[in-house]
Amino acid sequence: MTLVAHLTELRNRIAKALLALALGTVVGFLWYDRGLLTFLTEPYCALPGQFRFQGDEDCRLVVLDVFGGVLLRLKIGLIAGAVLSAPFWLYQLWAFITPGLKRNEKRYTVGFVAASTLLFAAGAFLAWLTLRKGLELLLSLAGNEVAFQLTAPDYLGFVVSLLVAFGLSLELPLIAVALNLVGVLSHEALSRSRRWIFFLTVVFAAFVTPTQDPFTMLAMAGPMILLFETAIQIARVVDKRRAKRDAAQHFHDLGDDEASPLDARPSRLEDSRDPSTTPFRG
């Protein structure tokens, strides 16, 4: 393909991805007051009444300006739309990349799109489960004499950032598997760097989690370490299969009058032969 053809295809892929994002945003906008807002506020509403202003049992958040509610709904709808349309725009990304891949690499496209979607959903759900404990720890540090009245933009922004951080963090081991499958990252390199990977995973979790509490940090670092170890073992199996395939391909590529690697090696009898008894060839 020419450069113009590549740019045309890229434009078409981006247009399709944006269309999917727009449709997902509409769905998220309509879903906002039909269960999405309840889902996002449930961890805060599950806390004891002492963490809400004057023990408010209705668990209502506050908006401080006229356009705050509209902008908040648009923001949450956009993020929800990006998550809902992720399988489609991820497929568009892979569809643009796959023409440059080998035939055996193209077959992993659907698998990676499905795996990335499931991992992001699993990470977001894990964040939602740990959110209540993190909120309770953070709010309790203020003391009993402090009353809380959280604003909707601050609270929902905090919740969404935590869900996205957990979801994206579980994608990192999948990237390592993808790099191994295309031959960029070997199992030897992953295995040699295992301790550094685990250490940097804990550091990454400590900086990325908005709550900064040990419970939430370990909830993120633990699954990431398990997934990285799984990625290392997958890379080990893939490299073994690749080595066997390369060896078989090298053997079949030999000509009819060309010796195989086993035949080319000198035998033990030839190695032990006394040079002095070898006839002179001149």
Side-chain angles (χ1 to χ4, degrees):
M1 296 178 62
T2 63
L3 178 60
V4 176
H6 278 293
L7 294 177
T8 302
E9 182 184 4
L10 178 61
R11 181 196 61 188
N12 295 334
R13 297 292 181 186
I14 293 177
K16 293 178 181 179
L18 291 177
L19 178 61
L21 178 61
L23 294 176
T25 302
V26 173
V27 174
F29 187 86
L30 298 176
W31 183 27
Y32 179 81
D33 55 357
R34 291 176 174 83
L36 179 59
L37 184 61
T38 303
F39 171 78
L40 295 176
T41 57
E42 199 279 334
Y44 174 65
C45 296
L47 295 177
Q50 67 186 39
F51 295 110
R52 293 188 293 275
F53 184 72
Q54 296 180 353
D56 187 5
E57 296 298 334
D58 293 335
C59 187
R60 291 174 295 182
L61 299 172
V62 178
V63 176
L64 301 178
D65 56 275
V66 176
F67 294 100
V70 177
L71 296 177
L72 178 65
R73 184 164 184 164
L74 287 174
K75 178 181 177 181
I76 300 300
L78 177 62
I79 296 175
V83 174
L84 293 175
S85 61
F88 188 82
W89 56 261
L90 282 174
Y91 174 78
Q92 295 300 321
L93 176 63
W94 275 100
F96 179 74
I97 296 175
T98 48
L101 300 179
K102 298 179 182 178
R103 180 180 302 177
N104 63 328
E105 295 169 349
K106 294 180 181 179
R107 60 184 179 182
Y108 299 115
T109 301
V110 177
F112 274 112
V113 172
S116 60
T117 303
L118 292 176
L119 286 175
F120 185 89
F125 183 71
L126 180 62
W128 187 80
L129 292 178
T130 60
L131 187 58
R132 178 183 174 183
K133 290 293 184 182
L135 281 173
E136 186 173 359
L137 176 61
L138 290 176
L139 297 180
S140 63
L141 294 177
N144 297 328
E145 291 77 14
V146 177
F148 296 95
Q149 185 67 55
L150 300 182
T151 63
D154 290 339
Y155 170 77
L156 294 178
F158 166 78
V159 172
V160 170
S161 63
L162 185 66
L163 297 179
V164 173
F166 265 75
L168 294 179
S169 65
L170 296 190
E171 303 282 351
L172 297 179
L174 184 63
I175 296 176
V177 175
L179 294 177
N180 174 258
L181 289 175
V182 298
V184 176
L185 191 61
S186 65
H187 166 260
E188 182 181 358
L190 287 172
S191 180
R192 187 171 59 248
S193 306
R194 179 185 277 109
R195 294 182 179 179
W196 278 105
I197 291 175
F198 294 166
F199 172 74
L200 293 177
T201 298
V202 176
V203 175
F204 172 81
F207 279 96
V208 169
T209 50
T211 57
Q212 302 293 326
D213 63 282
F215 181 80
T216 306
M217 183 191 70
L218 293 177
M220 176 186 285
M224 285 185 66
I225 290 175
L226 292 178
L227 289 174
F228 268 120
E229 182 61 32
T230 303
I232 293 174
Q233 298 306 319
I234 292 176
R236 179 176 64 85
V237 175
V238 170
D239 284 1
K240 283 186 176 181
R241 291 182 178 180
R242 183 181 291 120
K244 290 181 180 180
R245 184 173 63 251
D246 293 343
Q249 183 67 27
H250 178 70
F251 178 78
H252 290 296
D253 288 343
L254 295 175
D256 296 336
D257 56 346
E258 187 176 357
S260 66
L262 293 177
D263 296 333
R265 296 176 181 177
S267 63
R268 293 183 178 179
L269 180 60
E270 293 175 350
D271 293 340
S272 60
R273 184 182 300 170
D274 187 2
S276 60
T277 61
T278 304
F280 174 74
R281 297 179 182 179

